[in-house]
Amino acid sequence: MPELPEVEVVRRGIADHVVGRTITGVTVHDVRSVRRHLAGPADFRHRLEGRTVVGAARRGKYLWIQLADPEGGASDAILCHLGMSGQFLVSDASAPPQRHLRITLELDDGNELRFADQRIFGGMSFSEDGAELPPEIAHIARDPLDPLFDPAEFAARIRRRQTGVKRAILDQTLISGVGNIYADEALWRTPLHYARNTRHLRTREIESLLGHIGDVMREALAQGGTSFDALYVNVNGNSGYFDRSLQAYGQEGGPCQRCGTPIRRDPFMNRSSFWCPVCQPRPRNGRF
DNA sequence: CTCGATTCCTGTTAGC
DNA sequence: TGCTAACAGGAATCGA
């Protein structure tokens, strides 16, 4: 399940292997993967063919491929989201199609940039004037690895909310790039229970949580970045980080690495929350 | 405006 | 053995 670190690895892969190439052909194998391109798959193809890739950028879990402008105006982009199973691969054009291949971009060096996505939560769309920041994602907040991310603004905004702290950090308009896995890890490290009310968080709790969110992402990025394959633009959530370093997510019944208490799992937003009942006590009536 | 439930998808696995 | 149900979850959408 790609979160910010995994998307950043993909961005670097595209920057290394696709920048400078011209798109010579486009095949949409499954229209659902371009459903956010409202003009449809034929328009998607026509907009991309002949364009040259000049960069790859990212905000949170969104990634966009920057295109040279053929006419001298503001530049366009291909906006991409991996959803929960999306993968980009750079393959020789003669290589057999991958399982779940949804979109193929033919390049002028004999390679193809391929988008495979089992569950089709992800997808691509053409973003007019989107090279700097696609207008479609202008509502997405900066992520904690962005030099311009503003911790004070985040603290002020989260405290204006009246909801559980995990809901808040999963809200991409408050802070972007955090998914279910790293949310649980950061909350365990801080430690905070996922249902703690945002309105009553202490300043030092918010600052600590932010620090741990950044730490978790930087650690995952350091590990994911080392397992990059030249012809396989990494990747989904199968980085080594998953098996070795998770201390809360997926650890139901296992001992908390701080206190030994069995980790609990609660249903949460149609998914799960993993937490230590001793280190991260559930807020009670009258307490926050 | 904010909050929270619902929906979109498919492959794997647990349970009967 | 074969079927069904649960589960994984990012983010848009909608009702309250």
Side-chain angles (χ1 to χ4, degrees):
Chain A
M1 292 131 271
E3 297 186 24
L4 183 151
E6 290 79 11
V7 180
E8 173 60 16
V9 171
V10 172
R11 188 199 66 76
R12 292 176 183 179
I14 290 175
D16 289 344
H17 299 289
V18 183
V19 166
R21 302 274 61 80
T22 295
I23 298 168
T24 54
V26 177
T27 305
V28 175
H29 307 282
D30 192 314
V31 297
R32 293 174 295 180
S33 292
V34 294
R35 67 185 179 283
R36 292 184 191 86
H37 186 82
L38 300 180
D43 184 78
F44 180 76
R45 172 163 60 88
H46 292 136
R47 299 272 205 153
L48 298 191
E49 283 179 351
R51 302 295 296 270
T52 298
V53 175
V54 294
R58 181 189 58 72
R59 172 177 284 195
K61 287 175 275 201
Y62 280 95
L63 157 74
W64 62 99
I65 299 170
Q66 298 161 314
L67 302 172
D69 194 328
E71 294 170 6
S75 289
D76 305 321
I78 310 169
L79 182 59
C80 311
H81 199 292
L82 300 178
M84 59 180 292
S85 56
Q87 294 179 315
F88 277 102
L89 309 93
V90 177
S91 299
D92 189 279
S94 64
Q98 283 75 17
R99 195 154 152 78
H100 307 305
L101 179 62
R102 311 296 187 194
I103 298 170
T104 298
L105 304 185
E106 297 164 39
L107 307 175
D108 63 351
D109 62 354
N111 282 331
E112 292 176 345
L113 178 63
R114 299 180 178 180
F115 179 69
D117 186 12
Q118 179 206 111
R119 283 173 238 188
I120 324 185
F121 275 35
M124 305 170 77
S125 62
F126 177 82
S127 178
E128 191 158 356
D129 298 340
E132 188 174 327
L133 178 69
E136 297 90 341
I137 60 165
H139 62 291
I140 300 291
R142 293 186 187 275
D143 61 64
L145 300 189
D146 186 330
L148 295 181
F149 179 84
D150 186 343
E153 183 193 348
F154 169 77
R157 290 190 63 204
I158 196 172
R159 248 191 309 230
R160 268 184 243 130
R161 295 291 182 91
Q162 172 100 344
T163 188
V165 63
K166 184 173 174 181
R167 280 184 182 276
I169 61 176
L170 291 175
D171 182 343
Q172 303 297 301
T173 67
L174 274 181
I175 182 172
S176 68
V178 182
N180 198 43
I181 295 169
Y182 297 139
D184 278 1
E185 290 303 303
L187 289 168
W188 181 86
R189 289 184 184 201
T190 302
L192 284 174
H193 188 273
Y194 63 84
R196 285 283 305 275
N197 190 322
T198 50
R199 183 145 301 176
H200 303 292
L201 290 175
R202 312 270 185 162
T203 298
R204 64 176 171 275
E205 290 175 324
I206 297 174
E207 289 172 349
S208 175
L209 175 61
L210 257 188
H212 287 299
I213 290 172
D215 288 348
V216 167
M217 289 186 172
R218 279 185 288 270
E219 290 168 27
L221 186 53
Q223 296 193 26
T226 62
S227 60
F228 185 80
D229 186 299
L231 289 183
Y232 184 82
V233 181
N234 214 345
V235 54
N236 56 16
N238 295 331
S239 66
Y241 188 82
F242 260 55
D243 296 333
R244 288 195 286 275
S245 302
L246 296 181
Q247 316 214 57
Y249 181 84
Q251 307 301 306
E252 182 182 19
C256 169
Q257 295 302 305
R258 263 192 308 259
C259 74
T261 306
I263 296 292
R264 297 266 300 270
R265 179 173 75 91
D266 286 355
F268 177 83
M269 292 174 74
N270 279 338
R271 41 186 74 81
S272 296
S273 273
F274 297 88
W275 56 292
C276 171
V278 171
C279 300
Q280 302 164 268
R282 180 189 294 279
R284 299 171 168 222
N285 282 347
R287 294 174 52 195
F288 307 111

